Amino acid sequence: MVVLATKLYVEGSARERATDSLRSLIGNEIGELDVAFDLSIRDDDFPEVALEGEDAVVAGNVLREEFGEIVPELEPGETYVGTLESWNDEGFVLDAGRPIEIPADELGLGPGSPTQIRERYGLIQHLPLRFLYREDEPPRLADEERDRLYEWTRGDGRLNVNSATRAEVRATLNRAGHAQDYVTVERLGLLEQSVICTEGTDPPGLLASVGEYLPAELRCVVP
């Protein structure tokens, strides 16, 4: 059994589409292995995948690598994934099956308040983030997570979106006439995507153009 560190927090038909999308993603990841899987959604919106077959252990490891895992116990010194649930002057709160409070001085993302940092890096709610769990000290963002976010600010710009699958974001961009304005849509979580802009594309301008078509939170990363 693997509990994936990505959430299905949408409702109605959107939830059904997201569940179908996740089932397809799981099939793509482990479809060539000798394993059968059953997908269910827990009350806290985290997906749970039951695996059965000769390659069940291998399949579980593949899913953990791709999505991260929500585990019942956290071990000091280990890196885990939680989803960004809230933020205030004190820091970020991640959901890793339990609240994980990361103080502002443990974010490691440069000067500014947590809210300013969130704006600078285009951090959308429910974004999966890796953190280091420590026994006698507060958790902090993992080094590899800090490096990833710093890289975002060195590229050509991004538009981050939540509450939509990768296919839905791509379809919206193309319908709105922006097929030439992005390189790809990077999947950050099941319902969290990052539109990587082409050189010369203005992320705030792209947001203004497609925002009315996406009932989602959108945040820009401006290089």
Side-chain angles (χ1 to χ4, degrees):
M1 187 77 69
V2 182
V3 181
L4 306 182
T6 188
K7 298 185 81 169
L8 274 79
Y9 44 84
V10 292
E11 299 296 338
S13 61
R15 189 178 184 89
E16 294 177 8
R17 291 194 302 272
T19 303
D20 289 343
S21 177
L22 179 57
R23 189 173 287 109
S24 295
L25 289 173
I26 293 171
N28 290 339
E29 293 293 333
I30 64 175
E32 296 184 2
L33 300 175
D34 183 7
V35 64
F37 72 90
D38 182 64
L39 173 65
S40 58
I41 310 301
R42 304 196 320 182
D43 290 342
D44 59 5
D45 293 331
F46 284 112
E48 189 172 68
V49 185
L51 300 162
E52 185 176 354
E54 184 176 337
D55 293 333
V57 173
V58 175
N61 290 335
V62 169
L63 295 180
R64 292 182 184 95
E65 178 67 24
E66 178 65 22
F67 295 98
E69 182 182 18
I70 299 299
V71 296
E73 299 293 336
L74 301 179
E75 296 291 334
E78 295 295 325
T79 297
Y80 299 96
V81 179
T83 60
L84 179 61
E85 294 305 300
S86 62
W87 49 91
N88 54 38
D89 290 342
E90 304 301 317
F92 288 174
V93 178
L94 309 185
D95 186 354
R98 62 188 61 73
I100 300 295
E101 299 182 4
I102 301 182
D105 59 1
E106 296 292 352
L107 296 176
L109 293 173
S113 68
T115 298
Q116 290 171 328
I117 289 171
R118 175 177 172 262
E119 292 292 334
R120 183 185 314 143
Y121 291 94
L123 304 183
I124 47 180
Q125 191 177 25
H126 307 300
L127 174 70
L129 295 171
R130 288 163 288 189
F131 66 93
L132 178 68
Y133 183 72
R134 300 185 288 182
E135 185 172 17
D136 298 321
E137 298 178 89
R140 67 171 176 84
L141 281 187
D143 289 339
E144 57 265 39
E145 191 62 71
R146 294 171 176 177
D147 291 344
R148 177 178 75 143
L149 297 178
Y150 274 123
E151 283 301 314
W152 285 5
T153 65
R154 300 188 180 108
D156 290 320
R158 290 173 177 254
L159 176 63
N160 293 338
V161 183
N162 70 10
S163 304
T165 65
R166 184 171 182 262
E168 289 169 341
V169 171
R170 292 183 64 178
T172 299
L173 289 167
N174 294 339
R175 283 199 306 268
H178 292 286
Q180 306 303 315
D181 295 328
Y182 71 98
V183 177
T184 189
V185 177
E186 179 184 352
R187 181 167 54 81
L188 306 176
L190 176 62
L191 294 170
E192 299 79 38
Q193 320 301 331
S194 187
V195 180
I196 302 176
C197 298
T198 57
E199 183 178 1
T201 297
D202 176 46
L206 186 61
L207 184 156
S209 179
V210 303
E212 64 179 297
Y213 304 110
L214 284 169
E217 180 188 17
L218 298 93
R219 288 286 181 272
C220 294
V221 183
V222 179

